[in-house]
Amino acid sequence: MKTERDIPSSLDLVSEIKRLRTEMNAVILAHYYQDGEIQDIADFVGDSLELSRKAAATDADVIVFCGVRFMADVAKILSPKKLVLLPDMNAGCSLEDSCKPEPFKKFREAHPDHTALTYINSSIEVKAHSDVIVTSANAEAIIRQIPESQPILFSPDKYLGAYLAKKTGRKNMLMWDGTCIVHEQFSEKALVQLIIRHPEAHVIAHPECPEFLLRHAEYIGSTSGIIKFAEERPGQSFIVLTEPGILHVMKKRSPGSTFYDVPGTADAACANCNNCPFMKMNTLEKLYLCMVNRAPVIEVEEGIRLKAKQSLDRMLDMSKGVKGLTAPSPTVAS
Ligand code: 13P
Ligand code: SF4
């Protein structure tokens, strides 16, 4: 197994990764939160679900997922015959970590009359024990299809759940107590300072942010929704309340616009505290090594995969025709 010490300093990583991609018949996926250099080498850049759907539609033998573990699991659920590689197996997610399968099963058992709606940022086991999966792009539309009288368990993001309950007027949603460590810690003080300094800027936010931040936003939506909102307003300014990796693609798609990211609360001590530490575990070196080593590999037990696929399929059925599920299409790297 090669390690970073085996990479000669003279090696042109980008050319080598491209060569390996052809040799392995691989497709490289990058989530919008990846560093620009990874986005630029990827075949598709997109949100979690869209990337897996795009990869499943290719005839590639190998999927290299530059994102986090739950996203690579979804790729494996949809493409069981393909080899799925994740450059760093420790690239998790605080939402997934907050919701372990055993306590989740107990939560369900304690509320047998509730429908379990689970955010895609969750483990494959939790997905397998859920009724319907949702993304931030389709959750609202899916909730609106569930009869008003039917109580809902929403896991694992309590802020996304609270936002959706408010938006849909649902009173009977019980939330799991999970949060995204990135979206919950943006500094409201820094946000307000940015708004005062740039009063013309649109404030756009991901619904994983808590209410005290969302109340400042003109638009709230998924990563794809945020990008689309800016694309539709060329030449304008935007204060973006989500992981700043997204600015790379926003600047590419809206070259005449101005974007401001919002620092984290610990900004004095840490310049990158608004970065997702899990997403940023992926580097060009690790991407290269996982292709050379054909590891780490995503492996899932077939019974769990099929159960998780049922909840994902329900989501896909219920989100047919939902605006924003597939738009904008992931970009193909040049
Ligand atoms: P999207 O599904 O909107 O891309 O978001 C994924 C995520 O992890 C947000 O923190
Ligand atoms: Fe998870 Fe938050 Fe990172 Fe998204 S930004 S992968 S929700 S920890």
Side-chain angles (χ1 to χ4, degrees):
M1 199 72 79
K2 284 201 171 163
T3 68
E4 293 203 11
R5 271 176 306 185
D6 301 316
I7 305 178
S9 55
S10 57
L11 193 75
D12 180 345
L13 278 175
V14 172
S15 311
E16 272 305 292
I17 291 167
K18 287 182 176 166
R19 185 187 63 74
L20 285 163
R21 166 169 53 197
T22 309
E23 192 179 289
M24 299 165 79
N25 188 27
V27 60
I28 301 176
L29 310 178
H31 186 264
Y32 291 130
Y33 295 165
Q34 292 298 294
D35 280 337
E37 58 185 11
I38 293 183
Q39 291 191 31
D40 289 344
I41 208 171
D43 297 288
F44 300 113
V45 183
D47 66 29
S48 45
L49 176 66
E50 191 56 27
L51 285 174
S52 295
R53 297 181 80 196
K54 284 270 169 188
T58 69
D59 60 5
D61 296 314
V62 181
I63 297 173
V64 187
F65 209 125
C66 300
V68 293
R69 173 69 199 252
F70 78 82
M71 297 179 182
D73 284 344
V74 172
K76 187 68 184 176
I77 294 170
L78 299 183
S79 302
K81 294 209 162 66
K82 296 192 200 299
L83 178 74
V84 180
L85 302 172
L86 183 66
D88 189 326
M89 205 45 111
N90 293 317
C93 168
S94 66
L95 284 167
E96 174 179 351
D97 288 347
S98 78
C99 190
K100 299 290 181 203
E102 280 312 312
F104 179 74
K105 273 194 243 168
K106 291 204 175 91
F107 186 50
R108 285 222 64 179
E109 281 158 17
H111 305 93
D113 57 331
H114 285 53
T115 295
L117 237 63
T118 300
Y119 189 32
I120 198 160
N121 295 40
S122 53
S123 68
I124 188 164
E125 291 85 1
V126 165
K127 285 186 177 78
H129 289 102
S130 302
D131 293 312
V132 190
I133 306 305
V134 298
T135 70
S136 47
N138 59 28
E140 182 186 338
I142 288 178
I143 290 173
R144 291 191 192 280
Q145 291 171 56
I146 297 172
E148 200 86 46
S149 57
Q150 174 59 44
I152 291 172
L153 292 183
F154 190 87
S155 309
D157 188 343
K158 67 176 178 185
Y159 293 130
L160 175 61
Y163 163 73
L164 291 165
K166 191 173 167 192
K167 191 88 200 284
T168 59
R170 297 290 290 227
K171 302 272 180 274
N172 50 3
M173 269 174 74
L174 217 56
M175 315 305 171
W176 184 270
D177 188 14
T179 60
C180 162
I181 53 164
V182 178
H183 289 84
E184 71 176 351
Q185 59 77 58
F186 289 115
S187 162
E188 189 182 18
K189 187 174 160 201
L191 171 63
V192 171
Q193 282 168 347
L194 277 168
I195 294 171
I196 292 168
R197 228 175 291 142
H198 309 286
E200 75 295 349
H202 301 276
V203 179
I204 50 182
H206 196 282
E208 287 174 12
C209 293
E211 163 62 18
F212 74 87
L213 295 169
L214 292 182
R215 67 188 163 158
H216 296 284
E218 172 186 342
Y219 173 79
I220 298 166
S222 63
T223 48
S224 306
I226 285 173
I227 294 165
K228 186 163 179 274
F229 182 92
E231 261 185 316
E232 287 170 353
R233 290 161 183 78
Q236 299 189 29
S237 306
F238 304 88
I239 297 169
V240 186
L241 268 166
T242 194
E243 215 275 0
I246 201 171
L247 298 193
H248 183 73
V249 67
M250 293 180 91
K251 285 175 186 166
K252 267 179 139 177
R253 292 204 198 158
S254 309
S257 298
T258 309
F259 299 98
Y260 305 99
D261 65 331
V262 182
T265 44
D267 54 314
C270 167
N272 292 324
C273 283
N274 55 3
N275 279 233
C276 173
F278 304 107
M279 288 280 181
K280 294 324 199 239
M281 282 180 184
N282 296 317
T283 59
L284 272 189
E285 285 78 10
K286 288 186 201 167
L287 169 55
Y288 163 73
L289 286 172
C290 90
M291 295 175 85
V292 170
N293 293 328
R294 294 177 79 88
V297 177
I298 296 289
E299 287 178 272
V300 299
E301 197 268 308
E302 184 61 4
I304 298 277
R305 185 187 77 79
L306 290 173
K307 277 184 157 178
K309 186 169 182 299
Q310 269 180 2
S311 335
L312 268 172
D313 285 345
R314 266 185 223 118
M315 170 185 82
L316 296 174
D317 279 352
M318 292 177 83
S319 50
K320 277 193 184 120
V322 173
K323 228 175 122 214
L325 176 67
T326 53
S329 304
T331 49
V332 180
S334 51

